[in-house]
Amino acid sequence: MSLLEVNSLKKVYKTRLGGNSVEALKCVDFSVEEGEYVAVMGESGSGKTTLLNILAAIDKPTAGSVLLNGTDFSKIKDSLISTFRRDNLGFVFQDFNLLDTFSLEDNIFLPLVLKGMSYKEMKPKIEPIAERLGITSLLKKYPYEVSGGQKQRAAVARALITEPKIILADEPTGALDSKATDELLNLFGDINKNGQTILMVTHSVKAASHASRVMFIKDGEVFHQLYKGGNTTEEFYQRISETLTLLAGGKSV
């Protein structure tokens, strides 16, 4: 069984008055194996954000199913979905989603605080992660006192501290300069090599080229997939660019 299984996923949004409907996802099928690093690409309006929201258990599909480690999202009670999300999913956002009134350390601790853990229990968990991400000396600082790249490292630490089954990243390099982008992508690569499963939605060819597989979403469907295989990151970048050019031109791949 795959870690993540998406079966015949469909999402239809209806207007407030119920007159018109928009089919954001038509029939999406794919799976993600444990330890994979998958990038999802597509033009604005392609359905990739809707897909991510459903995978994050924030939105519900109109039809189809999502299973994580065999657990069907649709079978989880509404009262328990937040706990399921916190215990199984890690999130990294484009805008970091850090609380300015909390230190980086307290931001990272937040999901564990929500689980009811004590400081004594949390402290040993943060130390190896902070050291690995190079932010040990920054833990007492506040988000407004550090750079964008450092904020994103803190966000990654917050995602990792719960030991999630999968990290869902939404345009994680979107607010970073080129140097911080390179550092984050190298960091994601290291995290993945240590066994962490990652699914990342991105517009960036550079970010996608660091993944092991790229899924292209078009008109609410998985239109095409590329596997990195034995390609270098530079070679994979070229293949992704060529595929996007063909998709934009309406040509078959």
mmCIF file with all atom_site columns, all heavy atoms in Angstrom, residues 34 141 166 235 238 253:
data_model
loop_
_atom_site.group_PDB
_atom_site.id
_atom_site.type_symbol
_atom_site.label_atom_id
_atom_site.label_alt_id
_atom_site.label_comp_id
_atom_site.label_asym_id
_atom_site.label_entity_id
_atom_site.label_seq_id
_atom_site.pdbx_PDB_ins_code
_atom_site.Cartn_x
_atom_site.Cartn_y
_atom_site.Cartn_z
_atom_site.occupancy
_atom_site.B_iso_or_equiv
_atom_site.pdbx_formal_charge
_atom_site.auth_seq_id
_atom_site.auth_comp_id
_atom_site.auth_asym_id
_atom_site.auth_atom_id
_atom_site.pdbx_PDB_model_num
ATOM 1  N N   . GLU A 1 34  ? 6.119  6.106  0.305   1.00 0.00 ? 34  GLU A N   1
ATOM 2  C CA  . GLU A 1 34  ? 6.863  6.623  1.444   1.00 0.00 ? 34  GLU A CA  1
ATOM 3  C C   . GLU A 1 34  ? 8.291  6.965  1.023   1.00 0.00 ? 34  GLU A C   1
ATOM 4  O O   . GLU A 1 34  ? 8.950  6.192  0.346   1.00 0.00 ? 34  GLU A O   1
ATOM 5  C CB  . GLU A 1 34  ? 6.892  5.580  2.565   1.00 0.00 ? 34  GLU A CB  1
ATOM 6  C CG  . GLU A 1 34  ? 7.469  6.103  3.862   1.00 0.00 ? 34  GLU A CG  1
ATOM 7  C CD  . GLU A 1 34  ? 7.275  5.147  5.020   1.00 0.00 ? 34  GLU A CD  1
ATOM 8  O OE1 . GLU A 1 34  ? 6.615  4.114  4.842   1.00 0.00 ? 34  GLU A OE1 1
ATOM 9  O OE2 . GLU A 1 34  ? 7.791  5.450  6.107   1.00 0.00 ? 34  GLU A OE2 1
ATOM 10 N N   . LYS A 1 141 ? 14.992 34.596 18.855  1.00 0.00 ? 141 LYS A N   1
ATOM 11 C CA  . LYS A 1 141 ? 14.629 35.778 18.069  1.00 0.00 ? 141 LYS A CA  1
ATOM 12 C C   . LYS A 1 141 ? 13.179 35.681 17.599  1.00 0.00 ? 141 LYS A C   1
ATOM 13 O O   . LYS A 1 141 ? 12.585 34.603 17.567  1.00 0.00 ? 141 LYS A O   1
ATOM 14 C CB  . LYS A 1 141 ? 15.560 35.933 16.862  1.00 0.00 ? 141 LYS A CB  1
ATOM 15 C CG  . LYS A 1 141 ? 16.988 36.301 17.231  1.00 0.00 ? 141 LYS A CG  1
ATOM 16 C CD  . LYS A 1 141 ? 17.819 36.537 15.990  1.00 0.00 ? 141 LYS A CD  1
ATOM 17 C CE  . LYS A 1 141 ? 19.239 36.962 16.350  1.00 0.00 ? 141 LYS A CE  1
ATOM 18 N NZ  . LYS A 1 141 ? 19.273 38.318 16.945  1.00 0.00 ? 141 LYS A NZ  1
ATOM 19 N N   . ILE A 1 166 ? 3.839  13.039 6.055   1.00 0.00 ? 166 ILE A N   1
ATOM 20 C CA  . ILE A 1 166 ? 4.123  13.722 4.789   1.00 0.00 ? 166 ILE A CA  1
ATOM 21 C C   . ILE A 1 166 ? 4.161  15.230 5.041   1.00 0.00 ? 166 ILE A C   1
ATOM 22 O O   . ILE A 1 166 ? 3.408  15.748 5.861   1.00 0.00 ? 166 ILE A O   1
ATOM 23 C CB  . ILE A 1 166 ? 3.062  13.369 3.713   1.00 0.00 ? 166 ILE A CB  1
ATOM 24 C CG1 . ILE A 1 166 ? 3.446  13.952 2.348   1.00 0.00 ? 166 ILE A CG1 1
ATOM 25 C CG2 . ILE A 1 166 ? 1.663  13.811 4.129   1.00 0.00 ? 166 ILE A CG2 1
ATOM 26 C CD1 . ILE A 1 166 ? 2.590  13.415 1.196   1.00 0.00 ? 166 ILE A CD1 1
ATOM 27 N N   . GLU A 1 235 ? 19.573 18.603 -15.906 1.00 0.00 ? 235 GLU A N   1
ATOM 28 C CA  . GLU A 1 235 ? 18.892 17.890 -17.003 1.00 0.00 ? 235 GLU A CA  1
ATOM 29 C C   . GLU A 1 235 ? 17.384 17.811 -16.749 1.00 0.00 ? 235 GLU A C   1
ATOM 30 O O   . GLU A 1 235 ? 16.578 17.973 -17.674 1.00 0.00 ? 235 GLU A O   1
ATOM 31 C CB  . GLU A 1 235 ? 19.475 16.480 -17.151 1.00 0.00 ? 235 GLU A CB  1
ATOM 32 C CG  . GLU A 1 235 ? 20.897 16.456 -17.704 1.00 0.00 ? 235 GLU A CG  1
ATOM 33 C CD  . GLU A 1 235 ? 21.563 15.088 -17.560 1.00 0.00 ? 235 GLU A CD  1
ATOM 34 O OE1 . GLU A 1 235 ? 21.105 14.270 -16.728 1.00 0.00 ? 235 GLU A OE1 1
ATOM 35 O OE2 . GLU A 1 235 ? 22.555 14.853 -18.283 1.00 0.00 ? 235 GLU A OE2 1
ATOM 36 N N   . GLN A 1 238 ? 15.683 21.050 -17.540 1.00 0.00 ? 238 GLN A N   1
ATOM 37 C CA  . GLN A 1 238 ? 15.446 21.214 -18.970 1.00 0.00 ? 238 GLN A CA  1
ATOM 38 C C   . GLN A 1 238 ? 14.224 20.427 -19.426 1.00 0.00 ? 238 GLN A C   1
ATOM 39 O O   . GLN A 1 238 ? 13.399 20.926 -20.204 1.00 0.00 ? 238 GLN A O   1
ATOM 40 C CB  . GLN A 1 238 ? 16.692 20.766 -19.756 1.00 0.00 ? 238 GLN A CB  1
ATOM 41 C CG  . GLN A 1 238 ? 16.657 21.104 -21.238 1.00 0.00 ? 238 GLN A CG  1
ATOM 42 C CD  . GLN A 1 238 ? 16.568 22.600 -21.500 1.00 0.00 ? 238 GLN A CD  1
ATOM 43 O OE1 . GLN A 1 238 ? 17.174 23.398 -20.789 1.00 0.00 ? 238 GLN A OE1 1
ATOM 44 N NE2 . GLN A 1 238 ? 15.780 22.985 -22.503 1.00 0.00 ? 238 GLN A NE2 1
ATOM 45 N N   . VAL A 1 253 ? 2.253  15.721 -25.038 1.00 0.00 ? 253 VAL A N   1
ATOM 46 C CA  . VAL A 1 253 ? 3.611  15.479 -24.535 1.00 0.00 ? 253 VAL A CA  1
ATOM 47 C C   . VAL A 1 253 ? 4.049  14.079 -24.897 1.00 0.00 ? 253 VAL A C   1
ATOM 48 O O   . VAL A 1 253 ? 3.308  13.137 -24.709 1.00 0.00 ? 253 VAL A O   1
ATOM 49 C CB  . VAL A 1 253 ? 3.641  15.673 -23.006 1.00 0.00 ? 253 VAL A CB  1
ATOM 50 C CG1 . VAL A 1 253 ? 5.047  15.449 -22.488 1.00 0.00 ? 253 VAL A CG1 1
ATOM 51 C CG2 . VAL A 1 253 ? 3.167  17.060 -22.622 1.00 0.00 ? 253 VAL A CG2 1
#
